[in-house]
Amino acid sequence: MWWLKATVISLSVCAVVGGRDFPPGFKFGASTAAYQVEGAWNASEKSMSIWDTYVHTNPHKIANNATGDVACDSYNNWKTDIELASKMGLHFYRFSISWPRLLPSGFPDYISKDGMRYYNNLIDALLENGIEPVVTIYHFDLPQSLQNLGGWTNPLVADWFANYARVVFSLFGDRVKTWITLNEPITFCDISYNIGNAAPGHTSPGVGSYICNKNAMLAHAKAYRIYEKEFKSKYNGKISISNQVFWFEPHTKSDDKAAEKARQLMAGMYYHPIFSKKGGWPPVIERIIAKKSKKEGLPYSRLPAFTKEEIKLVKGTYDFLGLNFYTSRTARVAKPGEQIGSWPFYGAPDLDIIVDVKPKWKKSDIWWLYINPEGIRNQLAWFKKEYGDIEILITENGFASYNDDINDKDRVQYYKDHLEQVLLAIKEDGVRVTGYSVWTLIDNFEWGDGYSVKFGLHHVNFDDPKRTRTPRASADYYASIVKSHSLDINNKITDSGTKKIKKSAALILLMVFINTCLSA
Ligand SMILES: *[C@@H]1O[C@H](CO)[C@@H](O)[C@H](O)[C@H]1NC(C)=O
Ligand SMILES: *[C@@H]1O[C@H](CO)[C@@H](O)[C@H](O)[C@H]1NC(C)=O
């Protein structure tokens, strides 16, 4: 009976090791952002945000002149959103708080009762449904009153944000245990100030963008320090920042240096000051911009320096790393005189680097989203190499389409391929990824793309005043992954990895028993 024994033992070992299972305790979620789903732009005491102003004064900059005035009307439909998350069995729901909804003046002199009630209701109902709230404090919607004072280019913004964050911690910190201070400074600093096609819509390439970069780092750090000092011992939550990062590969074999520079620009600018041992800007980027600024005749670098105190203030302000990942690029050194364009997406002028894509990467419906699932694994491994064995939470990952298809096979494939790579990063590369969140729960207002681009696990009918939500195939697929806690979704032995291990252990014991009987 040796063959029976061998088969039984190897089957049991396989079940225990669970090649395609996510680690016990790994959490799955879905993400949204206030301006993209809430609507109710003028409800109650809410004041104007820079996105309200931007869409109303520049209708031509948004696909089909769309606005977020109503969006998914989640301000009224939040119970439905929670039902969707609950039906999928999500462990957490990531949403953002609208600063002008909570603090209409932008300052903590007055807290809107309706604003507070809205977020209290949302948080309480999530918890009642066994869903953890993961809260982004800032997701692009600065109060217009603060923009009138210079917004993210005024150094005081770090204190304005920190004071707002303190209000948020004191109101919701008893129930919210995972915080993201800022979402994607690369978008509200670099895309915004370099290209001008995001609120506030002012361009100041290579100047305003870098000032915003520095102020964003200080804003994050001050909020982190407030939480650390005033709330952490009481509430014991975790707090960090999320940025969107493209993975960069060398364009040809000789472009390793260019690719690494591009990584240090896109990821390093927002993670090096916080996560590296030394702190401050990535040295290679700091050197390049200082040299360029000097050549331009400036007596200082366009990238504002951190003081020693500021480096210390920012360094180490994390409990995990938040990553938004969608796509990859190649990088190569620009040829002399070659037109570069504005960073990001079009190239990196200060670095004299041209970014491109590999022909084998399939494009989604939107122009910037090329599909390279290996990119997420490489990016995760790069973080470990650069910053050590840190905890990583994937706060966004998703696929865009122009069609309304309910049977969204391409999106299902995107999630499958990316989750496979996340699993390889965990199991093969030993990266400590503890959770994964899709962008996004429901179709929404996708900034400059308006409602033309769909990222949702659920379709939303924007012609229907009720904004009816319909699950797509990807919602069912994601739900089955969450349920089986594994990429082997047909192998629905149990609904959690931990239970699976217990069952396998019981199976082994049974086999050992049978085996003993057979031998006897
Ligand atoms: C809010 O804006 C809508 C248009 O989106 C408008 O119809 C409505 O009258 C406004 N409400 C208030 C209170 O101003
Ligand atoms: C968008 O608004 C502009 C005016 O800013 C108008 O000329 C144009 O026809 C509008 N386009 C659509 C699709 O509504």
Side-chain angles (χ1 to χ4, degrees), residues 68-260:
D69 290 358
V70 181
C72 309
D73 199 16
S74 287
Y75 188 69
N76 296 303
N77 291 328
W78 56 274
K79 280 185 185 159
T80 314
D81 294 340
I82 295 176
E83 268 168 39
L84 304 178
S86 173
K87 270 191 192 141
M88 287 194 293
L90 299 188
H91 303 118
F92 68 92
Y93 175 56
R94 173 179 173 237
F95 63 92
S96 81
I97 291 175
S98 160
W99 187 343
R101 194 182 296 292
L102 193 65
L103 301 182
S105 73
F107 300 113
D109 55 336
Y110 177 74
I111 300 170
S112 161
K113 299 282 172 300
D114 281 343
M116 189 170 74
R117 188 178 308 127
Y118 175 68
Y119 295 111
N120 270 330
N121 285 343
L122 185 59
I123 291 166
D124 290 344
L126 282 167
L127 290 170
E128 279 161 24
N129 281 275
I131 303 166
E132 202 184 305
V134 170
V135 176
T136 310
I137 304 173
Y138 181 77
H139 201 128
F140 307 169
D141 47 357
L142 191 75
Q144 182 61 42
S145 58
L146 303 183
Q147 184 59 46
N148 298 345
L149 301 173
W152 284 101
T153 59
N154 185 335
L156 290 175
V157 74
D159 289 315
W160 300 337
F161 175 75
N163 287 324
Y164 157 54
R166 181 187 279 110
V167 171
V168 168
F169 297 143
S170 59
L171 292 179
F172 312 119
D174 56 338
R175 288 154 291 154
V176 175
K177 302 299 168 190
T178 307
W179 296 99
I180 308 291
T181 52
L182 305 174
N183 181 70
E184 291 190 8
I186 188 120
T187 304
F188 69 81
C189 292
D190 298 68
I191 296 182
S192 190
Y193 285 97
N194 285 340
I195 307 171
N197 61 6
H202 307 306
T203 48
S204 172
V207 179
S209 51
Y210 292 141
I211 295 172
C212 177
N213 286 174
K214 180 180 171 184
N215 293 338
M217 288 294 96
L218 293 175
H220 157 79
K222 288 190 172 189
Y224 183 96
R225 297 298 180 200
I226 286 174
Y227 189 80
E228 187 181 42
K229 195 163 162 233
E230 302 172 24
F231 299 93
K232 193 149 197 164
S233 62
K234 211 166 19 172
Y235 296 143
N236 204 25
K238 287 183 172 186
I239 175 164
S240 192
I241 189 169
S242 283
N243 198 39
Q244 186 183 158
V245 179
F246 291 9
W247 170 247
F248 284 95
E249 294 203 352
H251 193 72
T252 66
K253 284 197 179 100
S254 57
D255 294 316
D256 277 342
K257 262 193 173 165
E260 186 56 22

